[in-house]
Amino acid sequence: VWLATVRRKVVTKVHRGENRGRKLAHYNVVRQMIPLGVWTGEKTDYQLDMAMLMKEGAEACAIIVQNGEAGSVIAAAWIHK
C-alpha cells in the first residue's frame, strides 16, 4: 500500500530545446511516494496526518494498492484537501 502526494498542476519554463521559451503545464505530478504497509486482503486502517502530507505544495494524495513490489495496481483512490 502506497501513499502518493500530488501537486495538481506544475508549470515549468523551458530553457532549451524545441520548446525553449515556452511554459509547459504538467498535471497530477507525484511529489513523494510513501510506503504505508503490506495489504493481506483483510480490512486495514491507516492514520494519516494530512497537514504533514500536504506540505511542500502537495494538494492531494492518492492511495495505491499494488500487487507485490512492482506488480499491477489492484486499487487506487484520491484524497483531497
Side-chain angles (χ1 to χ4, degrees):
V1 180
W2 293 90
L3 175 92
T5 60
V6 177
R7 188 129 183 229
R8 294 302 221 151
K9 182 178 178 182
V10 175
V11 177
T12 56
K13 184 175 179 181
V14 180
H15 297 285
R16 300 177 72 170
E18 64 187 37
N19 288 320
R20 182 180 62 208
R22 294 181 64 196
K23 290 182 181 178
L24 300 179
H26 309 277
Y27 297 91
N28 296 323
V29 177
V30 174
R31 306 297 292 172
Q32 186 176 21
M33 291 286 290
I34 303 166
L36 295 180
V38 176
W39 183 58
T40 61
E42 300 295 320
K43 180 183 176 199
T44 305
D45 291 318
Y46 296 98
Q47 298 296 318
L48 303 173
D49 181 348
M50 293 305 288
M52 183 193 79
L53 295 172
M54 297 300 185
K55 65 182 181 180
E56 298 183 27
E59 299 162 332
C61 293
I63 300 290
I64 302 165
V65 180
Q66 188 174 18
N67 191 9
E69 288 186 25
S72 59
V73 172
I74 298 168
W78 280 108
I79 300 172
H80 300 276
K81 275 187 182 182

Coordinates of all heavy atoms in Angstrom, one line a residue:
V1 N 0.9 -1.2 0.0 CA 0.0 0.0 0.0 C 0.9 1.2 0.0 O 1.8 1.3 0.8 CB -0.9 0.0 1.2 CG1 -1.8 1.3 1.2 CG2 -1.8 -1.2 1.3
W2 N 0.7 2.1 -0.9 CA 1.5 3.3 -1.1 C 0.6 4.6 -1.0 O -0.6 4.5 -1.3 CB 2.1 3.4 -2.5 CG 3.1 2.3 -2.8 CD1 2.9 1.1 -3.3 CD2 4.5 2.4 -2.5 NE1 4.1 0.4 -3.4 CE2 5.1 1.2 -2.9 CE3 5.3 3.4 -2.0 CZ2 6.4 1.0 -2.8 CZ3 6.7 3.2 -1.9 CH2 7.2 2.0 -2.3
L3 N 1.2 5.6 -0.5 CA 0.6 6.9 -0.5 C 1.4 7.8 -1.4 O 2.6 8.0 -1.2 CB 0.5 7.5 0.9 CG 0.0 8.9 1.0 CD1 -1.5 8.9 1.2 CD2 0.6 9.7 2.0
A4 N 0.8 8.4 -2.4 CA 1.5 9.4 -3.2 C 1.0 10.8 -3.0 O -0.2 11.0 -3.0 CB 1.2 9.0 -4.7
T5 N 1.9 11.7 -2.6 CA 1.5 13.1 -2.5 C 1.6 13.7 -3.9 O 2.5 13.5 -4.6 CB 2.3 13.9 -1.5 OG1 3.7 13.9 -1.9 CG2 2.2 13.3 -0.1
V6 N 0.6 14.5 -4.2 CA 0.4 15.0 -5.6 C 0.2 16.5 -5.7 O -0.5 17.1 -4.8 CB -0.8 14.3 -6.3 CG1 -1.0 14.8 -7.7 CG2 -0.6 12.8 -6.3
R7 N 0.9 17.1 -6.6 CA 0.6 18.5 -6.9 C -0.2 18.5 -8.2 O 0.1 17.9 -9.2 CB 2.0 19.3 -7.2 CG 1.8 20.7 -7.3 CD 2.7 21.5 -6.4 NE 2.5 22.9 -6.5 CZ 3.5 23.8 -6.7 NH1 4.7 23.4 -6.7 NH2 3.2 25.0 -6.8
R8 N -1.4 19.2 -8.1 CA -2.4 19.1 -9.2 C -1.8 19.7 -10.5 O -2.1 19.2 -11.6 CB -3.6 19.8 -8.8 CG -4.4 19.1 -7.7 CD -4.7 17.7 -8.1 NE -6.0 17.4 -7.6 CZ -6.8 16.6 -8.2 NH1 -6.4 15.9 -9.2 NH2 -8.0 16.3 -7.7
K9 N -1.1 20.8 -10.5 CA -0.6 21.5 -11.7 C 0.8 22.1 -11.4 O 0.9 22.8 -10.4 CB -1.6 22.5 -12.2 CG -1.1 23.2 -13.5 CD -2.2 24.2 -13.9 CE -1.7 24.9 -15.2 NZ -2.7 26.0 -15.6
V10 N 1.7 21.8 -12.2 CA 3.1 22.5 -12.1 C 3.4 23.0 -13.5 O 3.3 22.4 -14.5 CB 4.1 21.4 -11.8 CG1 5.5 22.0 -11.8 CG2 3.8 20.8 -10.4
V11 N 3.7 24.3 -13.5 CA 4.1 25.0 -14.8 C 5.6 25.2 -14.8 O 6.1 25.8 -13.8 CB 3.4 26.3 -14.9 CG1 3.8 27.1 -16.2 CG2 1.9 26.1 -15.0
T12 N 6.3 24.8 -15.8 CA 7.7 25.0 -15.9 C 8.1 25.8 -17.2 O 7.4 25.6 -18.2 CB 8.5 23.6 -15.9 OG1 8.0 22.8 -17.0 CG2 8.3 22.9 -14.7
K13 N 9.1 26.6 -17.0 CA 9.6 27.4 -18.2 C 10.7 26.5 -18.8 O 11.6 26.1 -18.1 CB 10.1 28.7 -17.8 CG 10.5 29.6 -19.0 CD 10.9 31.0 -18.5 CE 11.3 31.8 -19.8 NZ 11.7 33.1 -19.5
V14 N 10.6 26.4 -20.1 CA 11.6 25.6 -20.8 C 12.7 26.5 -21.3 O 12.5 27.5 -21.9 CB 11.0 24.8 -22.0 CG1 12.0 24.0 -22.8 CG2 9.8 23.9 -21.5
H15 N 14.0 26.1 -21.0 CA 15.1 27.0 -21.3 C 15.9 26.5 -22.5 O 16.6 27.3 -23.1 CB 16.1 27.1 -20.1 CG 15.4 27.7 -18.9 ND1 15.2 29.1 -18.8 CD2 15.0 27.2 -17.8 CE1 14.7 29.3 -17.7 NE2 14.5 28.2 -17.0
R16 N 15.7 25.3 -22.9 CA 16.5 24.7 -24.1 C 15.6 23.9 -24.9 O 14.5 23.5 -24.5 CB 17.6 23.9 -23.5 CG 18.6 24.8 -22.7 CD 19.7 24.0 -22.1 NE 20.6 23.6 -23.2 CZ 21.8 23.1 -23.1 NH1 22.2 22.7 -21.9 NH2 22.5 22.8 -24.1
G17 N 16.1 23.5 -26.1 CA 15.4 22.6 -27.0 C 14.3 23.2 -27.8 O 14.1 24.4 -27.9
E18 N 13.5 22.4 -28.4 CA 12.5 22.8 -29.4 C 11.4 23.6 -28.7 O 10.7 24.4 -29.3 CB 11.9 21.7 -30.1 CG 11.1 20.7 -29.3 CD 10.7 19.4 -30.0 OE1 11.5 19.0 -30.9 OE2 9.6 18.9 -29.7
N19 N 11.2 23.5 -27.4 CA 10.2 24.2 -26.6 C 10.7 25.4 -25.9 O 10.1 26.0 -25.0 CB 9.4 23.3 -25.7 CG 8.5 22.3 -26.4 OD1 7.9 22.7 -27.4 ND2 8.5 21.1 -26.0
R20 N 12.0 25.8 -26.2 CA 12.6 26.9 -25.5 C 11.7 28.2 -25.5 O 11.1 28.5 -26.5 CB 14.0 27.2 -26.2 CG 14.7 28.3 -25.4 CD 16.0 28.6 -26.1 NE 15.8 29.1 -27.4 CZ 16.6 29.0 -28.4 NH1 17.8 28.4 -28.3 NH2 16.3 29.5 -29.6
G21 N 11.7 28.8 -24.3 CA 10.9 30.0 -24.2 C 9.4 29.8 -23.9 O 8.7 30.7 -23.5
R22 N 9.0 28.5 -23.9 CA 7.6 28.2 -23.7 C 7.4 27.8 -22.2 O 8.3 27.4 -21.5 CB 7.1 27.1 -24.6 CG 7.0 27.4 -26.0 CD 6.6 26.3 -26.9 NE 5.2 26.0 -26.5 CZ 4.6 24.8 -26.9 NH1 5.3 23.9 -27.6 NH2 3.4 24.5 -26.6
K23 N 6.2 27.9 -21.7 CA 5.8 27.4 -20.4 C 4.9 26.2 -20.6 O 4.0 26.2 -21.4 CB 5.1 28.4 -19.6 CG 5.9 29.6 -19.2 CD 5.2 30.6 -18.3 CE 6.1 31.7 -17.9 NZ 5.3 32.7 -17.1
L24 N 5.3 25.1 -20.0 CA 4.6 23.8 -20.1 C 3.9 23.5 -18.8 O 4.5 23.6 -17.8 CB 5.5 22.7 -20.6 CG 6.2 22.9 -21.9 CD1 7.1 21.7 -22.2 CD2 5.3 23.1 -23.0
A25 N 2.7 23.0 -18.9 CA 1.9 22.6 -17.7 C 1.9 21.1 -17.6 O 1.8 20.4 -18.6 CB 0.5 23.1 -17.8
H26 N 2.2 20.6 -16.4 CA 2.2 19.2 -16.1 C 1.1 19.0 -15.0 O 1.1 19.8 -14.0 CB 3.6 18.8 -15.6 CG 4.7 19.2 -16.5 ND1 5.0 18.5 -17.6 CD2 5.5 20.3 -16.5 CE1 6.0 19.1 -18.2 NE2 6.3 20.2 -17.5
Y27 N 0.3 18.0 -15.1 CA -0.8 17.8 -14.2 C -0.6 16.5 -13.4 O 0.0 15.5 -13.9 CB -2.1 17.7 -15.0 CG -2.4 19.0 -15.7 CD1 -2.0 19.2 -17.0 CD2 -3.1 20.0 -15.1 CE1 -2.2 20.4 -17.6 CE2 -3.3 21.2 -15.7 CZ -2.9 21.4 -17.0 OH -3.1 22.6 -17.6
N28 N -1.1 16.5 -12.1 CA -1.0 15.4 -11.2 C 0.4 14.9 -11.1 O 0.7 13.7 -11.3 CB -2.0 14.3 -11.6 CG -3.4 14.8 -11.6 OD1 -3.8 15.5 -10.7 ND2 -4.2 14.3 -12.5
V29 N 1.3 15.8 -10.7 CA 2.7 15.5 -10.5 C 2.9 14.9 -9.1 O 2.6 15.5 -8.1 CB 3.6 16.7 -10.7 CG1 5.0 16.4 -10.4 CG2 3.4 17.3 -12.1
V30 N 3.5 13.6 -9.1 CA 3.7 13.0 -7.8 C 5.0 13.6 -7.2 O 6.0 13.7 -7.8 CB 3.9 11.5 -8.0 CG1 4.4 10.8 -6.7 CG2 2.6 10.8 -8.5
R31 N 4.8 14.1 -6.0 CA 5.9 14.7 -5.2 C 6.7 13.7 -4.4 O 7.8 13.9 -4.1 CB 5.4 15.9 -4.4 CG 4.6 16.9 -5.1 CD 5.3 17.6 -6.1 NE 6.3 18.5 -5.5 CZ 7.3 19.1 -6.1 NH1 7.4 19.1 -7.4 NH2 8.1 19.8 -5.4
Q32 N 6.0 12.7 -3.9 CA 6.6 11.8 -2.9 C 5.8 10.5 -2.9 O 4.5 10.5 -3.0 CB 6.6 12.4 -1.5 CG 7.3 11.6 -0.5 CD 7.4 12.4 0.8 OE1 6.5 13.3 1.1 NE2 8.3 12.1 1.7
M33 N 6.4 9.4 -2.8 CA 5.8 8.1 -2.7 C 6.2 7.5 -1.3 O 7.4 7.4 -1.0 CB 6.3 7.1 -3.7 CG 5.8 7.4 -5.1 SD 4.0 7.0 -5.4 CE 4.0 5.3 -5.3
I34 N 5.2 7.2 -0.5 CA 5.4 6.8 0.9 C 4.8 5.4 1.1 O 3.6 5.2 0.9 CB 4.8 7.8 1.9 CG1 5.3 9.2 1.7 CG2 5.0 7.3 3.3 CD1 4.5 10.3 2.4
P35 N 5.6 4.4 1.4 CA 5.0 3.1 1.7 C 4.3 3.1 3.0 O 4.8 3.5 4.0 CB 6.3 2.2 1.8 CG 7.4 3.0 2.1 CD 7.1 4.4 1.6
L36 N 3.0 2.6 3.0 CA 2.2 2.5 4.2 C 2.2 1.2 4.9 O 2.0 1.0 6.1 CB 0.8 2.9 3.9 CG 0.6 4.4 3.5 CD1 -0.9 4.6 3.2 CD2 1.1 5.4 4.5
G37 N 2.4 0.1 4.1 CA 2.4 -1.2 4.7 C 2.0 -2.2 3.6 O 1.9 -1.9 2.4
V38 N 1.9 -3.5 4.1 CA 1.5 -4.6 3.2 C 0.1 -5.0 3.4 O -0.3 -5.2 4.6 CB 2.4 -5.8 3.4 CG1 2.0 -7.0 2.6 CG2 3.9 -5.4 3.2
W39 N -0.7 -5.0 2.4 CA -2.1 -5.4 2.5 C -2.2 -6.9 2.3 O -1.7 -7.5 1.4 CB -2.9 -4.7 1.4 CG -4.4 -5.0 1.5 CD1 -5.2 -4.7 2.6 CD2 -5.2 -5.5 0.5 NE1 -6.5 -5.1 2.3 CE2 -6.5 -5.6 1.1 CE3 -5.0 -6.0 -0.8 CZ2 -7.6 -6.1 0.4 CZ3 -6.1 -6.5 -1.5 CH2 -7.4 -6.5 -0.9
T40 N -2.9 -7.5 3.3 CA -3.0 -9.0 3.3 C -4.4 -9.5 2.8 O -4.7 -10.7 2.8 CB -2.8 -9.5 4.7 OG1 -3.8 -9.0 5.6 CG2 -1.4 -9.2 5.2
G41 N -5.2 -8.5 2.4 CA -6.6 -8.9 2.0 C -7.6 -8.6 3.1 O -8.8 -8.6 2.8
E42 N -7.1 -8.4 4.3 CA -8.0 -8.1 5.4 C -8.3 -6.6 5.5 O -7.5 -5.8 4.9 CB -7.4 -8.5 6.7 CG -7.1 -10.0 6.8 CD -8.3 -10.9 6.8 OE1 -9.3 -10.5 7.4 OE2 -8.3 -11.9 6.1
K43 N -9.3 -6.2 6.2 CA -9.6 -4.7 6.4 C -8.4 -4.1 7.1 O -7.9 -4.7 8.1 CB -10.8 -4.6 7.3 CG -11.2 -3.1 7.5 CD -12.3 -2.9 8.4 CE -12.5 -1.4 8.7 NZ -13.3 -1.1 9.8
T44 N -8.0 -3.0 6.6 CA -6.8 -2.3 7.2 C -7.1 -0.8 7.3 O -7.7 -0.2 6.4 CB -5.6 -2.5 6.3 OG1 -5.4 -3.9 6.0 CG2 -4.3 -1.9 6.9
D45 N -6.7 -0.2 8.4 CA -6.9 1.2 8.7 C -5.5 1.9 8.8 O -4.6 1.3 9.4 CB -7.7 1.5 10.0 CG -9.1 1.0 9.9 OD1 -9.7 1.3 8.8 OD2 -9.6 0.4 10.8
Y46 N -5.4 3.1 8.2 CA -4.2 3.9 8.4 C -4.5 5.2 8.9 O -5.5 5.8 8.4 CB -3.5 4.0 7.0 CG -3.0 2.7 6.4 CD1 -3.7 2.0 5.5 CD2 -1.8 2.2 6.8 CE1 -3.3 0.9 4.9 CE2 -1.3 1.0 6.3 CZ -2.1 0.3 5.4 OH -1.6 -0.9 4.8
Q47 N -3.8 5.7 9.9 CA -4.0 7.0 10.4 C -3.0 8.0 9.7 O -1.8 7.7 9.8 CB -3.8 7.1 11.9 CG -4.7 6.2 12.7 CD -6.1 6.7 12.6 OE1 -6.4 7.9 12.6 NE2 -7.1 5.7 12.4
L48 N -3.5 9.0 9.0 CA -2.6 9.9 8.3 C -2.7 11.3 8.8 O -3.8 11.8 9.1 CB -3.0 9.9 6.8 CG -3.0 8.5 6.1 CD1 -3.6 8.6 4.7 CD2 -1.6 7.9 6.1
D49 N -1.6 12.0 8.9 CA -1.6 13.4 9.3 C -1.6 14.2 8.0 O -0.6 14.4 7.4 CB -0.3 13.7 10.1 CG -0.2 15.1 10.6 OD1 -1.0 16.0 10.1 OD2 0.7 15.4 11.4
M50 N -2.8 14.7 7.6 CA -3.0 15.3 6.3 C -2.2 16.6 6.3 O -1.6 17.0 5.2 CB -4.4 15.6 6.0 CG -5.2 14.4 5.8 SD -4.6 13.3 4.5 CE -5.0 14.3 3.1
A51 N -2.0 17.4 7.4 CA -1.2 18.6 7.4 C 0.2 18.3 7.0 O 0.8 19.0 6.2 CB -1.3 19.3 8.7
M52 N 0.8 17.2 7.6 CA 2.1 16.9 7.2 C 2.3 16.4 5.8 O 3.2 16.8 5.1 CB 2.6 15.8 8.2 CG 4.1 15.4 7.9 SD 4.5 13.8 8.7 CE 3.8 12.7 7.6
L53 N 1.3 15.7 5.3 CA 1.4 15.1 3.9 C 1.2 16.2 2.9 O 1.8 16.1 1.8 CB 0.3 14.1 3.7 CG 0.4 12.8 4.6 CD1 -0.8 12.0 4.4 CD2 1.7 12.1 4.2
M54 N 0.5 17.3 3.2 CA 0.2 18.3 2.2 C 1.3 19.4 2.2 O 1.1 20.5 1.6 CB -1.2 18.9 2.4 CG -2.3 18.0 2.3 SD -2.3 17.3 0.6 CE -3.7 16.3 0.6
K55 N 2.4 19.2 2.9 CA 3.4 20.3 2.9 C 4.1 20.3 1.5 O 4.0 19.4 0.7 CB 4.4 20.0 4.0 CG 5.2 18.7 3.9 CD 6.1 18.5 5.1 CE 6.9 17.2 4.8 NZ 7.8 16.9 5.9
E56 N 4.9 21.3 1.3 CA 5.7 21.4 0.1 C 4.9 21.4 -1.2 O 5.3 20.8 -2.2 CB 6.8 20.3 0.1 CG 7.8 20.4 1.2 CD 8.9 19.4 1.1 OE1 9.3 19.0 0.0 OE2 9.5 19.0 2.1
G57 N 3.8 22.0 -1.1 CA 3.0 22.2 -2.3 C 2.1 21.1 -2.7 O 1.4 21.2 -3.7
A58 N 2.1 20.0 -2.0 CA 1.1 18.9 -2.3 C -0.3 19.4 -2.1 O -0.6 20.1 -1.2 CB 1.4 17.6 -1.5
E59 N -1.2 19.0 -3.0 CA -2.6 19.4 -3.0 C -3.6 18.3 -2.9 O -4.7 18.5 -2.6 CB -2.9 20.3 -4.2 CG -2.0 21.5 -4.3 CD -1.9 22.1 -5.7 OE1 -2.1 21.4 -6.7 OE2 -1.7 23.3 -5.7
A60 N -3.1 17.1 -3.1 CA -3.9 15.9 -3.0 C -3.0 14.7 -2.7 O -1.8 14.8 -2.8 CB -4.7 15.7 -4.3
C61 N -3.6 13.6 -2.4 CA -2.9 12.3 -2.2 C -3.7 11.2 -2.9 O -4.9 11.3 -3.1 CB -2.8 12.0 -0.7 SG -1.8 13.1 0.3
A62 N -2.9 10.2 -3.3 CA -3.5 9.0 -3.9 C -3.1 7.8 -3.0 O -1.9 7.8 -2.6 CB -3.1 8.8 -5.3
I63 N -4.0 6.9 -2.7 CA -3.7 5.7 -2.1 C -3.6 4.6 -3.2 O -4.6 4.5 -4.0 CB -4.7 5.3 -1.0 CG1 -4.8 6.4 0.1 CG2 -4.4 3.9 -0.4 CD1 -3.6 6.4 1.0
I64 N -2.6 3.9 -3.3 CA -2.4 2.9 -4.3 C -2.1 1.5 -3.7 O -1.2 1.4 -2.9 CB -1.2 3.3 -5.2 CG1 -1.5 4.7 -5.8 CG2 -1.0 2.2 -6.3 CD1 -0.3 5.3 -6.5
V65 N -2.9 0.5 -4.0 CA -2.7 -0.8 -3.6 C -2.1 -1.6 -4.8 O -2.7 -1.7 -5.8 CB -4.0 -1.5 -3.1 CG1 -3.7 -2.9 -2.7 CG2 -4.6 -0.7 -2.0
Q66 N -0.9 -2.1 -4.6 CA -0.1 -2.7 -5.7 C 0.2 -4.2 -5.4 O 0.4 -4.5 -4.2 CB 1.2 -1.9 -5.9 CG 2.0 -2.3 -7.1 CD 3.2 -1.4 -7.3 OE1 3.6 -0.7 -6.4 NE2 3.7 -1.4 -8.5
N67 N 0.1 -5.0 -6.4 CA 0.4 -6.4 -6.2 C 1.9 -6.6 -6.2 O 2.6 -6.5 -7.2 CB -0.2 -7.2 -7.4 CG -0.2 -8.7 -7.2 OD1 0.1 -9.1 -6.1 ND2 -0.6 -9.4 -8.2
G68 N 2.5 -6.9 -5.0 CA 3.9 -7.1 -4.9 C 4.7 -5.8 -5.0 O 4.1 -4.7 -4.9
E69 N 6.0 -5.9 -5.1 CA 6.8 -4.6 -5.1 C 6.7 -3.8 -6.4 O 6.8 -2.6 -6.3 CB 8.3 -5.0 -4.8 CG 8.5 -5.4 -3.4 CD 10.0 -5.7 -3.1 OE1 10.8 -5.0 -3.8 OE2 10.3 -6.4 -2.2
A70 N 6.5 -4.5 -7.5 CA 6.4 -3.7 -8.8 C 5.3 -4.3 -9.7 O 5.4 -4.2 -10.9 CB 7.8 -3.8 -9.5
G71 N 4.3 -4.9 -9.0 CA 3.3 -5.5 -9.8 C 2.2 -4.6 -10.2 O 2.3 -3.3 -10.1
S72 N 1.1 -5.1 -10.7 CA 0.0 -4.4 -11.2 C -0.8 -3.7 -10.0 O -0.7 -4.1 -8.9 CB -1.0 -5.3 -11.9 OG -1.5 -6.3 -11.1
V73 N -1.4 -2.6 -10.4 CA -2.2 -1.8 -9.4 C -3.6 -2.5 -9.2 O -4.3 -2.7 -10.2 CB -2.4 -0.3 -9.8 CG1 -3.4 0.4 -8.9 CG2 -1.0 0.4 -9.8
I74 N -3.9 -2.8 -8.0 CA -5.1 -3.5 -7.6 C -6.3 -2.5 -7.4 O -7.4 -2.7 -7.8 CB -5.0 -4.4 -6.4 CG1 -3.9 -5.5 -6.7 CG2 -6.3 -5.1 -6.0 CD1 -3.4 -6.2 -5.5
A75 N -5.9 -1.4 -6.7 CA -6.9 -0.4 -6.4 C -6.2 0.9 -6.2 O -5.0 1.0 -5.9 CB -7.7 -0.8 -5.2
A76 N -6.9 2.0 -6.4 CA -6.4 3.4 -6.2 C -7.6 4.3 -5.8 O -8.7 4.1 -6.3 CB -5.7 3.9 -7.4
A77 N -7.3 5.3 -5.0 CA -8.3 6.3 -4.6 C -7.6 7.6 -4.3 O -6.5 7.7 -3.9 CB -9.0 5.8 -3.4
W78 N -8.3 8.7 -4.6 CA -7.9 10.1 -4.4 C -8.3 10.5 -3.0 O -9.4 10.2 -2.5 CB -8.5 11.1 -5.3 CG -7.9 11.1 -6.7 CD1 -8.4 10.7 -7.8 CD2 -6.6 11.7 -7.0 NE1 -7.5 10.9 -8.9 CE2 -6.4 11.6 -8.4 CE3 -5.6 12.3 -6.3 CZ2 -5.3 12.0 -9.0 CZ3 -4.5 12.8 -6.9 CH2 -4.3 12.6 -8.3
I79 N -7.4 11.3 -2.3 CA -7.7 12.0 -1.1 C -7.5 13.5 -1.4 O -6.4 13.8 -1.7 CB -6.8 11.6 0.1 CG1 -7.0 10.1 0.4 CG2 -7.2 12.4 1.3 CD1 -6.0 9.5 1.4
H80 N -8.5 14.3 -1.2 CA -8.4 15.8 -1.5 C -8.4 16.6 -0.2 O -9.0 16.1 0.8 CB -9.5 16.2 -2.4 CG -9.5 15.6 -3.7 ND1 -8.8 15.9 -4.8 CD2 -10.2 14.5 -4.1 CE1 -9.0 15.1 -5.8 NE2 -9.9 14.3 -5.4
K81 N -7.9 17.8 -0.3 CA -8.0 18.7 0.8 C -9.4 19.0 1.1 O -10.2 19.2 0.2 CB -7.2 20.0 0.5 CG -5.8 20.0 0.8 CD -5.3 21.4 0.6 CE -3.8 21.5 0.8 NZ -3.3 22.8 0.7

